[in-house]
Amino acid sequence: MPEWVERRRLDLWESEVTAREAKGASALHALARGVFELGAFNMYAAIEEAETAKLFEELRAAFAAAGVDAPAADAFDFENW
């Protein structure tokens, strides 16, 4: 993704990710999709700190259910993310 940021073409990154998105409903697919959706939520606009933290907590719960621990949303400064 850094190369897309440097080129100022996040739209192309988004297109690339969605074009290659694996079809299916596995737990791993759902987690990967959640990470993409969290990143895409603020991609084209100013960061909405409260909503981003809420979405992060939902994703963190999904990761926890899969046995992956992650810090709570209040450990991050989403305003400067």
Side-chain angles (χ1 to χ4, degrees):
M1 184 174 171
E3 70 180 85
W4 305 107
V5 172
E6 186 176 306
R7 292 169 51 193
R8 298 181 157 281
R9 292 304 309 263
L10 289 177
D11 60 313
L12 294 178
W13 172 79
E14 182 180 20
S15 296
E16 186 76 20
V17 169
T18 54
R20 295 175 184 249
E21 181 179 3
K23 304 299 181 214
S26 71
L28 182 57
H29 178 266
L31 292 174
R33 182 71 189 161
V35 170
F36 173 77
E37 288 174 359
L38 178 63
F41 176 70
N42 292 303
M43 191 158 32
Y44 298 110
I47 291 176
E48 295 180 36
E49 188 175 358
E51 187 65 19
T52 301
K54 178 180 173 261
L55 292 171
F56 180 86
E57 282 301 319
E58 292 171 3
L59 184 59
R60 186 171 84 93
F63 270 90
V68 179
D69 189 32
D74 60 2
F76 298 99
D77 179 6
F78 290 109
E79 185 176 343
N80 295 308
W81 202 20

